Amino acid sequence: MRFLAVCTALAASAALTGCGQSGGADAAPTRVTLWLMKGSASDDFIGKFSADFEKEHPGIDLQVRIQEWKGIGDKVNDVLAGKSKEGADVIEVGNTQVAQYVETGGVSELTLEGLREWGSSDWLKGLSEPGTVEGAQYGVPWYAANRVVIYNKELFANAGIKTPPKNRQEWLANTQKLDKGEQQGIYLAGQNWYVLAGFIWDEGGELAVENSGEWSGALDDEKSVAGMEFYKQLQVLGHGPKDADEETPPQSDVFARGQVAQIIAPPGQAAQIEAANPALKGKLGFFPIPGKTSEKAGAVFTGGSDLIIPDKTRHRGQAVDVISALVSEKWQTELARTMSYVPNKTSLAHVVEGNEGAAAMAPGAAQGRATPNSARWAEVEAKNPIKPYMTAVLTGQDPRTASKTAAAAITKLLKQPAN
């Protein structure tokens, strides 16, 4: 309110839009609003960051507003269109949402700042690529999280497996050893398409490709089919359903029964497993999803968040300052250690050493990818022709025929006009 009063007093001057940016000692601080999503950062982190930021920027009053994921798209679009009563100067968005918001309009381009200030050449590709539209940077990588293999150390030891596998062939061989009787070598639901995406990328395939601005499905490419064939080899070494995803039933509940040697999941699911079965406390380990060779981990879908600035903010310079602080080494380190995330740069992977789950994520994050950077991809995920394709292959249908059907369905969805 103090800021508004000062600005009202200056309303007759042409300097209105710059109010609060370079006033004297008595000038009211500029209120800058940061939207963060629920669960992305702890109250402790937010409190520390806010206090430190305001100390370093005495002219800024930073207001952090926590938002729910449900219904966030409409709220963000209202801000971008200048229709929101709340307003925001910096907004956390899912890394795969950036292209949708850019197409809607109202997102500020940040190419200059990214190249100059934020070390963009070192960003994780799974965060930076979906934040880029037609060569321009709109989303600034904040943090990443991805899947790893969570395993039962006791079952591994009983099978004589002393170290986690480093490549696919070792992984298959170990999983075959572990798959005996009622014990499952791995629980892998038939429609876990995020896991499939990593196998496809490892083979050099794609979910969809862009040509001259037109997107089309690519599951029928031979390399993409090879990724599905590896998925089938792995999935049969357990009793996972062929016609359901990893939440039907929740795979953490299945693992908690104690007769599953491995699941592929974010490391945070270990806490859910231990809560369901305290006897497993101390028996869970983590390793990166193995790649085709031992030289590098397998590709993974990178989840996480980017930061955007609305075009209509009156405080772009201060909003840039907020992002600069959030992506600095100091606060990337604090966030990664507090929340067990992977930092936004490959050079900062070392900061999670000592946190077994987060450390297992880091090698995969370096090979991480995001879903195709089409504003229509949300339609693909909503109707998701990938899931029935996977079930078809796992139940014996010809992979090439099934993949053509799925690729055509994806192409049709990607060519639909915007709503």
Side-chain angles (χ1 to χ4, degrees), residues 57-261:
H57 302 81
I60 298 178
D61 171 21
L62 181 65
Q63 297 290 311
V64 179
R65 300 283 184 256
I66 304 303
Q67 306 294 328
E68 298 281 349
W69 282 107
K70 186 176 181 179
I72 190 59
D74 290 340
K75 292 188 72 174
V76 172
N77 283 326
D78 282 348
V79 173
L80 298 179
K83 298 177 181 177
S84 172
K85 293 180 180 178
E86 290 185 70
D89 302 294
V90 179
I91 304 174
E92 174 196 353
V93 300
N95 60 322
T96 61
Q97 296 176 325
V98 178
Q100 294 170 262
Y101 292 133
V102 171
E103 184 181 65
T104 301
V107 182
S108 184
E109 183 183 341
L110 298 168
T111 305
L112 179 60
E113 288 86 354
L115 295 176
R116 185 181 63 199
E117 296 181 27
W118 297 323
S120 58
S121 62
D122 195 27
W123 282 340
L124 296 177
K125 290 183 178 180
L127 295 179
S128 63
E129 288 182 350
T132 304
V133 179
E134 295 182 356
Q137 196 75 42
Y138 292 91
V140 179
W142 188 29
Y143 70 83
N146 53 265
R147 289 162 177 77
V148 299
V149 182
I150 303 176
Y151 72 102
N152 186 317
K153 293 179 179 179
E154 187 173 69
L155 297 186
F156 267 56
N158 291 344
I161 303 169
K162 297 180 180 179
T163 58
K166 298 293 185 184
N167 58 60
R168 279 190 187 178
Q169 292 311 307
E170 289 180 9
W171 193 18
L172 283 174
N174 288 351
T175 306
Q176 286 169 343
K177 269 190 190 181
L178 291 158
D179 191 51
K180 54 185 180 183
E182 292 301 308
Q183 182 177 296
Q184 300 185 55
I186 190 169
Y187 181 86
L188 181 58
Q191 296 182 347
N192 196 332
W193 72 275
Y194 283 119
V195 171
L196 171 64
F199 298 159
I200 287 173
W201 294 328
D202 269 346
E203 294 290 346
E206 299 288 348
L207 300 175
V209 293
E210 183 183 17
N211 185 19
S212 301
E214 292 287 323
W215 283 91
S216 57
L219 288 178
D220 54 341
D221 180 86
E222 284 297 316
K223 293 175 180 177
S224 299
V225 172
M228 183 63 222
E229 288 175 344
F230 177 73
Y231 190 102
K232 184 175 182 179
Q233 283 183 275
L234 191 63
Q235 200 270 341
V236 76
L237 299 174
H239 310 150
K242 292 176 170 53
D243 59 352
D245 64 21
E246 65 275 21
E247 290 302 317
T248 314
Q251 63 176 353
S252 57
D253 290 352
V254 178
F255 188 93
R257 297 169 193 160
Q259 290 299 307
V260 173

